[in-house]
Amino acid sequence: MQKIKSLMARQGLKSPQESVVDLSPVESFRTPSKEELRELREEPTDPQAQQEIINSIEEVYFSSDSFDMVQYELEQLPPELNLLELEEYRDKLKRQQAAVSRRVADLILEKQPSYVKELERVTSLQTNLQLAAVICSNARRQLGSAKEDFTEASLGLLANQRRRQLLTGLLKSLRTIKTLQRTDVRLSEMLEEEDYPGAIQLCLECQKAASTFKHYNCISELNSKLQDTLEQIEEQLDVALSKTCKNFDVSHYTKVQLAYKLLGKTQMAMDQLHMHFTQAIHNTVFQVVLGYVELCAGNADTKFQKMQYKDLCTHITSDSYIPCLSDLCKALWEVMLSYYLTMQWHDEHYKEEETIPGAEDPSVDGSEESTVGRSYVKKKLEHGLSRIWQDVQLKVKAYLLGTDMSNFKYDDFIVVLDVISRLMEVGEEFCGSKSEVLQESIKRQSVNYFKNYHRTRLEELRMFLENETWELCPVKSNFSIAQLHEFKFMGQCRSPSVSPTRQQDSSEPLQISLFQQFSVCGNPFEMHIDNKEEETEDVLASNGYESDELEKNVYQDYDSDSDVPEELKQDFVDEQTGDVPVKSVSKETLRSRKRSDYNLNRANAPILTNTTLNVIRLVGKYMQMMNILKPIAFDVIHCVSQLFDYYLYAVYTFFGRNDMYESSGLGLISSRLRTTLSRIQESLIDMESGVEGSGPHVSPEERKQKVPSPHLSQLVILTSAQTLYGLPERVVATESLVFLAEQFEFLQPHLDTMMPSAKKPFLQQFYSQTVSTASELRKPIYWMVAAKAIDYEQSLLLMAGVKWDIKEIMSQHNIYVDVLLKEFENFNLRIVDVSRIVRIPLPVSNVLWEHCIRLANRTLEYSMKQLTNLVNVCLGSHINKKARQKLLAAIDDIDRPKR
């Protein structure tokens, strides 16, 4: 077959693939039949046409002798067969076959003489070979005789054999030396493949082999070369060891440790490893910070590369502070994770050696891996935990203190606290450290930040209060501070600074550590943008109602008087006589009063203002800071108390401070409330603000911690009788304060868990003496409304004109009684009008009517002198001396505030 292909190639034909097996012409081709010869004669004899037909044959037919042309042609058939196309394709194949057959036949005929001539030469060669075989046989037989006859020839042969053996040994040694000379190439390849154990093993074997051939002069130079190579391997091995400090790879570290084990330098490897970790921490943080500094600098100035890390941290801008801190912690996490995985590798490795006998290579000296060696490695790794964490803390501390964060946005500062809190959590899991260095650093920054932040918030609160018009902020009836995103953290606390009682819950499943969670992929310092997005709040409602239809239904339900007793449906009934007075109250008036009573008593949405809502949100932000960083919890809670103190003092100053009731002797302000207001004024209110050169006894630092007293907005009118002397504003202000106090009561358990034990008395005192007094402001604030809305003086003048020296009691009461009742009725209608603007809670209604009753009774009372004479003259003979003295003392107590 090869001959045919070569012949075809000589004729310019395409040959098959070289993988075709040689076959003889007889086996490959048969003699064409007569019919085929006839067809061949009928085919065109033009050589160029024949060559074009052969060239049109597909290459695949020449690919292999095992090629199945039938299978190939069947696979080439189209899905839908066309007889005409098939016949045309068959004819094409026949033409190709005929062309090939003709060419083969031509070649056979052309080479026939050569074939006959070559066959004759082969026959002649066979005859010559047979003759040579006879000659060789005779020669061998004669040589055998010579061997037996000549012993000297035999001894010569033995000598030659011995020489041959010596030369063979020499050749083997030379080959070994040659192999040793070429070892450096293989060692370089193994080092490139990071096969350090194999390279060291090969180098040691070469050194051992070289010692065997040290009697050769060339071996001394080879020994020196091998020693240099071994030192080079150790240097590269040290570089490979340093790579494990950032991206730990089990297979890579296993190779490195096995290599050091072969060298017998396991303990030295541990020392080097810790040096590399220390260097990795320094290089990592420096490169991270340098990258951000150069990026923000915007120029190619190389002066930053020569700076110390501490100085470099001072060039971080506020915009890049958080991304740089995040990348810094990510990079440090990679270093600590590598150390954690390194310890894990050694623990598992030693356990395997203990459980599997003979796991160690018996050919290696085991002294370094003895119990003493393992103990050294274990202690070195354990001691390295605290050392590495200390280095991490110092680097992060330098970064934290390198920037003044007092002007950071609150959300940005919370992110910083959250990142540092997570880093402290990592440190606690890493080596059980409480991260005192980090806590002290972040505490310094937090205290500094929080002082400025709180001072700014107090000034903002004063501005809000002075611009507050005390209008109702409509919220839904189911409003709760838990719906505000500032308090979402209360349900997802995870910070290590939170009280342990909140972290340890037997009902919760055991959480895996951060190192187990992120050992394969991920990073605990990844910034999740979706967590930072503002959550939507659905707390506002239109006019305090869920819908207008709900309000309408409420009124319709209450208007029904089917459940009112019959006697109450009468206009008015005298409790003493049962008579109906001449001047009756209309039924329509009673219905209005009933609706008013409902307005006064119905439970609805909380009463609060925009300022109240802002204070609540601010409290939530303060608590977030406490939740993340517990060491400053007391400072934050103290500031939280100042927010409430200032709000309470502002409400009292705006609506409750008045000289009228101070001289009334009604005792509207309790001693506890008076003490609280005095404390707030002394500790928080800057009474000397704006007074030049006043208060020399007050230091500037103390002045900075105080806030000027707020002033009521000029838009709030408290002197108009049309609005009951600002009753809507008074209700909104007072009840928003009460609502704020209720929210503080709700937050007390949570604040108590954050408060240090030594400072908890402060929190208890704040709640018992300040928060609980919020509702007590109702009396002085609403007293002004009750005192001015009803004309008590008119009743007093009418009483003065009454003739008391009548001879018989009349069935009809005096006119001043009707006038006073009419005043009360008008007052009630005006309260109803106010209730359409703002809901009047039942406690407010009770306080208002209590003041009205007290003031009315005060208008009708005897004087103190008359009361004393009444006791002495009228009751003196009917009571004993002790009872009389007790009544006189009570009268004196009533009169004492007036003196």
Side-chain angles (χ1 to χ4, degrees), residues 613-624:
L613 202 57
N614 287 334
V615 171
I616 293 175
R617 292 184 186 275
L618 199 55
V619 171
K621 291 182 178 180
Y622 281 25
M623 292 181 65
Q624 285 183 32

Side-chain angles (χ1 to χ4, degrees), residues 106-260:
D106 293 340
L107 291 175
I108 292 175
L109 293 177
E110 180 183 354
K111 301 298 180 181
Q112 182 66 24
S114 299
Y115 170 75
V116 174
K117 183 178 180 180
E118 189 67 21
L119 187 60
E120 291 176 354
R121 290 180 59 190
V122 170
T123 303
S124 175
L125 178 62
Q126 184 178 7
T127 303
N128 294 334
L129 288 174
Q130 290 175 352
L131 180 61
V134 173
I135 295 173
C136 289
S137 298
N138 294 333
R140 289 177 180 175
R141 184 170 54 254
Q142 292 175 2
L143 286 174
S145 300
K147 181 179 180 180
E148 293 176 358
D149 296 340
F150 302 99
T151 56
E152 291 182 359
S154 299
L155 292 176
L157 290 175
L158 291 176
N160 291 335
Q161 181 64 24
R162 181 188 176 198
R163 183 180 179 184
R164 178 184 178 186
Q165 291 179 347
L166 292 175
L167 292 176
T168 301
L170 178 60
L171 180 61
K172 184 178 180 180
S173 298
L174 292 176
R175 287 176 177 174
T176 302
I177 294 174
K178 182 180 180 181
T179 302
L180 293 177
Q181 293 287 355
R182 296 179 178 178
T183 303
D184 56 342
V185 178
R186 179 54 185 156
L187 287 175
S188 300
E189 294 176 355
M190 298 178 77
L191 290 177
E192 290 179 359
E193 297 170 358
E194 295 186 349
D195 184 10
Y196 304 108
I200 292 176
Q201 186 73 30
L202 178 60
C203 192
L204 294 176
E205 290 177 356
C206 289
Q207 284 185 330
K208 185 177 180 181
S211 63
T212 304
F213 302 100
K214 59 184 180 181
H215 50 282
Y216 295 105
N217 295 330
C218 60
I219 291 300
S220 59
E221 182 180 352
L222 180 62
N223 270 328
S224 176
K225 184 178 180 181
L226 288 174
Q227 186 61 35
D228 295 339
T229 303
L230 189 60
E231 293 177 358
Q232 181 184 359
I233 293 176
E234 290 188 22
E235 292 177 0
Q236 295 194 22
L237 189 61
D238 187 64
V239 174
L241 183 65
S242 65
K243 293 180 180 179
T244 63
C245 297
K246 291 196 66 175
N247 298 305
F248 184 86
D249 181 77
V250 175
S251 60
H252 179 79
Y253 189 74
T254 303
K255 292 179 181 178
V256 172
Q257 284 296 321
L258 182 58
Y260 274 109

Side-chain angles (χ1 to χ4, degrees), residues 659-727:
D659 296 334
M660 285 182 61
Y661 65 75
E662 292 293 341
S663 60
S664 66
L666 296 178
L668 299 178
I669 298 182
S670 65
S671 59
R672 183 177 63 167
L673 178 57
R674 194 180 301 275
T675 302
T676 298
L677 292 172
S678 299
R679 176 188 61 79
I680 296 174
Q681 182 170 309
E682 293 176 1
S683 62
L684 185 60
I685 307 302
D686 184 9
M687 302 301 296
E688 302 165 350
S689 177
V691 181
E692 193 69 25
S694 61
H697 59 283
V698 180
S699 64
E701 187 63 28
E702 292 178 351
R703 288 283 299 275
K704 288 178 62 176
Q705 297 177 1
K706 294 186 176 183
V707 189
S709 180
H711 301 284
L712 183 63
S713 172
Q714 296 180 356
L715 299 177
V716 180
I717 308 300
L718 301 180
T719 58
S720 173
Q722 299 297 326
T723 61
L724 281 181
Y725 303 94
L727 180 58

Side-chain angles (χ1 to χ4, degrees), residues 510-525:
L510 184 62
Q511 296 182 352
I512 61 175
S513 67
L514 294 174
F515 287 95
Q516 294 173 337
Q517 183 178 355
F518 298 101
S519 60
V520 178
C521 63
N523 195 298
F525 298 98

